[in-house]
């Protein structure tokens, strides 16, 4: 593995593949509105640690908004319209979430992006997300749009097999990564988040990943 870049300025972009890129600082202007949106979502659908089909408790705490929410339990991974914890639909996608996702997708080369799901991930210091493909969506061409908030992290971006070489992508508060089209099924993950304190988000990293499920 090698470090892809040191410390790029907001407004710069880094290509990760033919249809994958980092838009540095793209979400900075909306960060406070996104954080308020996350707080409102978590008040209705609290963060929780899901159990994998193998019986492991996930380190990352998760919740969802949108018409479909990503869930995991002993029966498997799936999308569900209902939050299994509350028995109610997931909170809707806030307009600022939809606008940012569409704007970032357009900037990354994907016009007309209308996601129907947003997984919200919360990483405490030390938390990692192991290499995986996002493969529970019916649409495997529309991009995943991922927004980083709070503590920095190192994103791993790999190939189409788990064992393929990965690049290390440093992500800061306000960075957006988009991967779709020919790059949509690439393996990706997050290295353990280093301890620290972000001035507005505190001792955590928050991540939004927008998806088109149906
Ligand atoms: C994910 O793959 O669902 C999250 C990626 C991230 O937290 O950057
Ligand atoms: Fe993912």
């Amino acid at each position: 593995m090698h470090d892809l870049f040191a410390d790029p300025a907001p407004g710069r972009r880094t290509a990760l593949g033919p249809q994958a890129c980092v838009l540095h600082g793209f979400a900075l202007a909306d960060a406070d509105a996104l954080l308020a949106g996350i707080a409102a979502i978590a008040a209705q659908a609290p963060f929780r640690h899901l159990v994998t089909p193998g019986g492991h408790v996930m380190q990352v705490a998760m919740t969802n908004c949108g018409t479909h929410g990503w869930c995991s339990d002993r029966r498997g991974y799936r999308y569900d319209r209902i939050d299994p914890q509350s028995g109610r639909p997931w909170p809707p996608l806030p307009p600022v979430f939809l606008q940012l996702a569409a704007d970032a997708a357009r900037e990354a080369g994907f016009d007309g992006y209308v996601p129907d799901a947003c997984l919200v991930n919360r990483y405490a210091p030390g938390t990692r997300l192991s290499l995986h493909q996002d493969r529970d969506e019916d649409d495997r061409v529309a991009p995943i749009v991922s927004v980083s908030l709070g503590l920095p992290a190192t994103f791993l971006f790999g190939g189409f097999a788990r064992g393929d070489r990965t690049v290390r992508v440093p992500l800061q508060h306000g960075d957006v990564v988009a991967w779709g089209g020919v790059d949509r099924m690439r393996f990706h993950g997050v290295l353990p988040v280093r301890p620290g304190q972000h001035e507005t988000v505190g001792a955590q990293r928050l991540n939004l990943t927008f998806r088109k499920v149906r």
Side-chain angles (χ1 to χ4, degrees):
M1 288 192 286
H2 70 281
D3 270 343
L4 199 56
F5 42 77
D7 199 6
R12 295 259 336 262
R13 115 181 15 218
T14 302
L16 299 177
Q19 292 187 281
C21 67
V22 186
L23 304 170
H24 301 281
F26 194 87
L28 270 180
D30 290 318
D32 290 347
L34 296 173
L35 291 166
I38 293 170
I41 290 158
Q44 289 177 255
F47 283 100
R48 76 286 308 260
H49 294 273
L50 298 172
V51 175
T52 66
H56 297 287
V57 177
M58 294 188 70
Q59 291 185 2
V60 179
M62 297 177 174
T63 186
N64 291 278
C65 59
T67 54
H68 295 80
W70 189 81
C71 302
S72 174
D73 61 19
R74 292 305 298 246
R75 290 179 295 150
Y77 305 126
R78 67 188 163 278
Y79 280 94
D80 204 322
R81 290 177 171 273
I82 302 295
D83 174 355
Q85 197 164 291
S86 68
R88 294 191 305 264
W90 297 102
L93 276 155
V96 62
F97 283 36
L98 280 168
Q99 188 66 53
L100 174 72
D103 290 348
R106 184 180 312 104
E107 190 69 18
F110 304 97
D111 282 341
Y113 183 56
V114 185
D116 52 10
C118 176
L119 176 64
V120 187
N121 290 324
R122 188 182 68 195
Y123 297 75
T127 301
R128 64 192 284 269
L129 185 65
S130 50
L131 272 185
H132 65 278
Q133 287 172 304
D134 292 352
R135 53 183 313 136
D136 301 316
E137 301 75 22
D138 293 344
D139 191 323
R140 293 185 174 192
V141 176
I144 303 292
V145 173
S146 165
V147 180
S148 292
L149 297 165
L151 289 179
T154 301
F155 184 64
L156 299 177
F157 199 65
F160 301 101
R162 185 178 299 279
D164 288 353
R165 158 183 180 278
T166 58
V167 289
R168 292 176 177 231
V169 183
L171 294 180
Q172 312 287 334
H173 178 71
D175 287 350
V176 178
V177 187
W179 63 98
V182 298
D183 290 317
R184 171 62 177 74
M185 297 309 293
R186 285 185 183 269
F187 276 85
H188 57 279
V190 179
L191 289 182
V193 171
R194 299 238 289 270
Q197 191 72 25
H198 184 272
E199 56 177 354
T200 52
V201 185
Q204 59 185 345
R205 172 175 185 262
L206 295 168
N207 171 263
L208 303 172
T209 46
F210 296 93
R211 300 105 190 279
K212 187 160 163 27
V213 176
R214 298 286 182 249

